[in-house]
Amino acid sequence: MWAVEVEDLHKIYPGGVKALNGVSFKVSKGEVYSLLGPNGAGKTTTMKIIATLLKPTSGRAMVMGIDVTSNPDSVRKIIGYVPQDLSADDELTGIENVVLQARLYGIPKDKAVKRARELLEMVGLGEAANRLVKSYSGGMRRRLELAMGLVNEPELLILDEPTLGLDVQSKLSLWEHIERLKKEKKVTILMTTHYMDEADKLSDRIAIIDRGKIVAEGSPQELKAKVGGDVIMIKISSDPLKVVEKLRMIDGVRGVDVIEGNIRIKVNVAETMLPEILKVLGSVDGRIESISITRPTLDQVFIEYTGRMFRDEEPGDFRRQMMIWRRKR
Ligand SMILES: Nc1ncnc2c1ncn2[C@@H]1O[C@H](COP(=O)(O)OP(=O)(O)O)[C@@H](O)[C@H]1O
Ligand SMILES: [Mg+2]
């Protein structure tokens, strides 16, 4: 049995926004599976459907073999959901938030308090348990929300952009907690992120999602292997299309395309190919404005499958900041 099985999900929001356009994937028990994609790709929509908070327009989703649409109550009992947006109450203390969450699951008061203490200890908030959440840093708040997602000892933990907008230090600390959870609790984790490094570091498997569709899937290694060797990106001042054919003829060049005005050349080893490539570029009008060489990365995987750069405009972060700001007033 799969921990999560999603089949051909479509979602059209009222007003006509087509958020999901046939999303399918399967997650094994004990796996960390990430949906990686830019803002607006459909990650949150997918998570909300699996967490029973949103009905799909068509298609189906199952958690541990239970259908989320026909049997939402049973699904809710076995999942923990940490939403992208703020979920802890600012005006309560850390421990009050966790206890409240536990009470919502029908856990008796004594047990709820004991469990809350353990969980807060686990996420490194033992000392801060009795402080009001509004005094927490972004990283502390996210760890609190992680603890809240674990009160019912879920078989599946859903994390929607767990480190969105956090500084590097807090991000690393949260990664450690997620990795420990995986090791020690054997919980299945389904998460979303638009950070390449995060997906790369934490996931057993990744699905790259773009405009409501999964465009590639595999382990981080598999995905990077699909790109192959090195990638050379060159920007020239003249029309790149004029040199593409010439570059393709070079022995050892595995592929050339033009991505948003940049020439993208796939080769096995960039260093040995550069002299020949520069010679060809020297034979055409215009100068070279920039050159960069990258080893296979998930960024390149994204470009490979979508023909576009993975751009991080972060409206999400902005919205988050606004919300924190509003709540503080
Ligand atoms: N409640 C809603 N009503 C209308 N459109 C929505 C709603 N929620 C999300 N969308 C749109 O659906 C698309 C997917 O959004 P979302 O699932 O939040 O993407 P992601 O989490 O990958 O950033 C976006 O175009 C977004 O603007
Ligand atoms: Mg989202």
Side-chain angles (χ1 to χ4, degrees):
M1 188 180 45
W2 298 96
V4 181
E5 201 174 351
V6 168
E7 263 174 39
D8 201 25
L9 279 187
H10 288 252
K11 177 68 189 180
I12 302 171
Y13 280 107
V17 178
K18 229 178 179 180
L20 300 182
N21 201 3
V23 168
S24 306
F25 62 89
K26 293 185 174 107
V27 181
S28 305
K29 281 192 186 161
E31 207 175 15
V32 177
Y33 190 96
S34 294
L35 283 192
L36 169 69
N39 283 307
K43 303 181 296 294
T44 296
T45 302
T46 309
M47 294 306 114
K48 280 187 179 163
I49 291 172
I50 297 168
T52 79
L53 300 172
L54 189 67
K55 290 222 175 338
T57 307
S58 68
R60 61 177 201 156
M62 320 245 273
V63 175
M64 305 294 167
I66 309 168
D67 190 294
V68 299
T69 314
S70 58
N71 214 341
D73 291 342
S74 307
V75 170
R76 271 178 219 152
K77 285 199 185 101
I78 57 168
I79 64 168
Y81 172 61
V82 181
Q84 178 178 327
D85 295 324
L86 307 174
S87 58
D89 190 328
D90 272 348
E91 304 296 332
L92 298 179
T93 64
I95 192 155
E96 283 167 346
N97 267 287
V98 186
V99 169
L100 187 68
Q101 185 82 0
R103 300 288 283 152
L104 290 176
Y105 279 100
I107 300 170
K109 187 77 191 270
D110 290 0
K111 229 179 131 197
V113 173
K114 186 164 170 284
R115 179 127 189 83
R117 286 224 175 86
E118 285 165 9
L119 285 170
L120 287 170
E121 206 59 57
M122 196 186 88
V123 297
L125 290 175
E127 303 270 306
N130 292 314
R131 270 167 53 188
L132 290 182
V133 172
K134 63 181 168 196
S135 76
Y136 282 16
S137 68
M140 291 167 79
R141 176 187 262 282
R142 232 31 202 148
R143 281 184 278 138
L144 170 65
E145 288 166 346
L146 185 63
M148 289 164 68
L150 290 166
V151 284
N152 59 330
E153 303 189 291
E155 292 175 52
L156 171 71
L157 182 64
I158 300 175
L159 305 174
D160 195 358
E161 307 239 22
T163 65
L164 183 72
L166 295 187
D167 59 84
V168 176
Q169 213 58 45
S170 313
K171 190 159 143 175
L172 292 178
S173 143
L174 214 77
W175 286 1
E176 262 173 45
H177 287 293
I178 295 171
E179 282 186 321
R180 258 190 37 214
L181 261 181
K182 184 197 165 166
K183 255 196 232 122
E184 290 168 17
K185 302 264 167 185
K186 308 256 181 298
V187 59
T188 306
I189 299 176
L190 172 61
M191 56 177 269
T192 75
T193 181
H194 65 262
Y195 298 126
M196 300 276 177
D197 56 344
E198 179 159 294
D200 203 354
K201 174 92 167 74
L202 298 178
S203 322
D204 296 308
R205 281 190 307 142
I206 297 170
I208 297 183
I209 183 168
D210 185 41
R211 297 178 175 166
K213 251 187 142 44
I214 289 174
V215 294
E217 189 196 46
S219 68
Q221 294 73 21
E222 281 166 357
L223 286 172
K224 285 184 252 178
K226 282 186 191 172
V227 177
D230 296 345
V231 175
I232 305 172
M233 297 281 262
I234 301 179
K235 195 160 178 57
I236 58 173
S237 61
S238 57
D239 182 5
L241 290 172
K242 285 193 181 138
V243 288
V244 165
E245 278 316 313
K246 281 191 182 161
L247 290 168
R248 283 201 181 117
M249 311 260 279
I250 299 173
D251 220 22
V253 166
R254 296 173 34 184
V256 183
D257 44 14
V258 176
I259 304 287
E260 299 176 12
N262 296 281
I263 306 171
R264 178 169 176 270
I265 308 166
K266 292 204 290 176
V267 296
N268 284 334
V269 182
E271 285 79 358
T272 60
M273 294 302 300
L274 262 182
E276 190 66 21
I277 289 168
L278 292 179
K279 212 164 99 192
V280 168
L281 289 172
S283 71
V284 297
D285 289 342
R287 43 193 181 77
I288 295 172
E289 292 183 340
S290 67
I291 299 182
S292 66
I293 297 175
T294 53
R295 309 287 171 222
T297 57
L298 290 175
D299 285 88
Q300 290 299 331
V301 178
F302 185 82
I303 295 172
E304 186 88 12
Y305 285 93
T306 64
R308 288 181 293 116
M309 307 271 207
F310 192 109
R311 222 173 255 109
D312 212 10
E313 282 145 3
E314 310 250 350
D317 284 5
F318 177 70
R319 215 173 58 214
R320 194 177 172 80
Q321 284 309 314
M322 285 297 287
M323 278 183 63
I324 293 169
W325 180 74
R326 271 210 309 273
R327 290 176 70 142
K328 275 196 176 141
R329 291 201 312 160

